[in-house]
Amino acid sequence: MFCPLGFADEATEARLNPELEKALKLHCQLEFDAADHLIAKVIDAAPQDIVALCFRANIMDDEPSVPNWRTMVAVNAALDVNPDSLFALSMKASLLGRLGNKTDSDSLLTQLTATRPKESDWLDQLGKARACHLARNEKGALVAYTETLRLAPDSPVLASYLLHCRGVIYSCLYDYEKATADCTTAIARNPENVYTLGSRAAYRNAQQQYAEAIQDATKALHIKANYSFALSARATAYTAKKDYKQALADTNRLMKLLPNDLQALLNHAVILTLMHDYNGAKADARKLEQLDPIGNFGKQASQLLKSLEEK
């Protein structure tokens, strides 16, 4: 019933499996369960489909409720089919680091960034791009993502996803103009790409384009009402525009979704300070000191409390 992810014949260019294209579109809408269900059906019909196996692991990695060990099981399933898959190995390196095995993670990343991808293999190029990004070799990642876009199967949804990824690299290089341009092209290919709408909002904030940032974040939230990144980006834009009431409303929503998120709590304290609610700001700062007593957020909270001593 299902065909492999990329297929071609003499008369056509490589195309994307329609079921996996639907799954990737759902992934970009943050509908992780539905995306995983579709990809699982593809794998059931084609257990050796390395691209489907890799993308299933990628979906699990992006789903906050999935523990790292479960994602590692999915990565190992891909490596059982192709032990040399740069994509699966780059995911393994990332997971090893998050699971506390930094030595093995760093060693694997060093190996992967020195490995030449298989010629004309877009998934290998994508794995090389991920590995370079993890190793903070952003220029290498940029080259690899550009090559992936050239080689990838014909699919507006896949192109949108890859453009989003390259935009992230441009943002890491502080080239927000090019990051925004990639996001704009990505959204034209897939208008419901929630990830990219949220990212473009953040890049527009970085360029002080606050009205446009609010528009992008609002579009993302119309598609996925509880997308925390879009809420944060919109709150940042509202704060910059001195619309503290709207900024506070978005930050309150964010804190309900992520009650112990340190950045959200700090932002909440700052907004309350700007609104002259000093008692509320002090309460936030004290909570932040308790949650992060020796970290950077705790230090910022202490500085804020000190500035509010006479308020």
Side-chain angles (χ1 to χ4, degrees):
M1 180 164 38
F2 298 99
C3 51
L5 179 94
F7 63 93
D9 56 38
E10 293 180 356
T12 63
E13 295 182 351
R15 303 189 301 279
L16 194 68
N17 177 327
E19 295 301 314
L20 279 169
E21 186 167 39
K22 291 176 187 175
L24 184 56
K25 188 171 185 178
L26 287 166
H27 181 192
C28 292
Q29 295 170 350
L30 311 187
E31 298 293 343
F32 299 112
D33 289 343
D36 183 68
H37 178 71
L38 274 179
I39 288 191
K41 290 170 69 177
V42 176
I43 293 170
D44 285 345
Q48 302 297 306
D49 188 335
I50 184 61
V51 185
L53 288 164
C54 285
F55 271 60
R56 187 179 198 190
N58 191 46
I59 289 170
M60 294 174 72
D61 197 38
D62 282 347
E63 168 55 83
S65 67
V66 175
N68 288 326
W69 68 265
R70 277 193 59 199
T71 305
M72 185 66 88
V73 170
V75 169
N76 286 334
L79 290 171
D80 286 342
V81 171
N82 181 2
D84 298 322
S85 167
L86 293 188
F87 188 99
L89 287 168
S90 71
M91 289 200 67
K92 183 174 182 178
S94 176
L95 287 163
L96 284 171
R98 277 181 271 157
L99 290 167
N101 194 340
K102 188 176 185 301
T103 300
D104 285 352
S105 174
D106 289 347
S107 175
L108 183 54
L109 280 178
T110 299
Q111 173 190 334
L112 293 176
T113 53
T115 300
R116 185 182 181 88
K118 295 184 182 69
E119 187 174 351
S120 300
D121 188 330
W122 70 273
L123 187 64
D124 247 24
Q125 285 287 349
L126 182 53
K128 179 64 177 279
R130 289 173 59 95
C132 287
H133 182 35
L134 287 167
R136 299 184 180 179
N137 177 5
E138 309 300 358
K139 291 184 179 179
L142 195 61
V143 170
Y145 274 123
T146 300
E147 185 66 6
T148 305
L149 278 158
R150 186 183 71 82
L151 295 171
D154 181 33
S155 161
V157 175
L158 180 58
S160 179
Y161 171 79
L162 295 173
L163 284 161
H164 166 87
C165 293
R166 191 174 70 176
V168 171
I169 303 304
Y170 278 126
S171 75
C172 292
L173 294 168
Y174 304 102
D175 192 339
Y176 296 111
E177 185 175 348
K178 286 184 179 178
T180 301
D182 266 359
C183 285
T184 298
T185 307
I187 292 164
R189 302 284 182 90
N190 178 15
E192 295 185 333
N193 190 334
V194 178
Y195 275 129
T196 307
L197 284 164
S199 292
R200 190 170 69 174
Y203 304 153
R204 284 177 159 166
N205 277 336
Q207 297 172 88
Q208 300 181 359
Q209 299 169 357
Y210 302 119
E212 294 87 348
I214 290 168
Q215 289 177 356
D216 280 341
T218 300
K219 287 178 184 177
L221 291 164
H222 281 160
I223 300 168
K224 192 69 174 179
N226 291 332
Y227 184 26
S228 59
F229 188 85
L231 280 169
S232 179
R234 191 168 70 175
T236 297
Y238 279 134
T239 302
K241 288 173 68 66
K242 299 184 179 180
D243 189 343
Y244 302 131
K245 183 177 179 180
Q246 292 291 346
L248 185 64
D250 277 351
T251 306
N252 284 336
R253 283 177 62 187
L254 184 60
M255 290 177 67
K256 286 181 180 179
L257 291 171
L258 306 169
N260 291 320
D261 185 271
L262 302 181
Q263 184 66 64
L265 186 56
L266 178 61
N267 291 348
H268 195 261
V270 170
I271 293 166
L272 289 178
T273 301
L274 293 168
M275 297 177 75
H276 307 295
D277 182 355
Y278 302 124
N279 288 333
K282 288 176 183 177
D284 281 347
R286 291 189 186 102
K287 182 178 179 182
L288 197 50
E289 281 186 322
Q290 292 174 352
L291 290 172
D292 191 35
I294 61 173
N296 186 52
F297 287 103
K299 291 177 182 177
Q300 291 182 73
S302 298
Q303 291 172 358
L304 180 59
L305 278 171
K306 187 175 181 180
S307 71
L308 293 173
E309 283 178 354
E310 297 180 1
K311 301 292 186 181

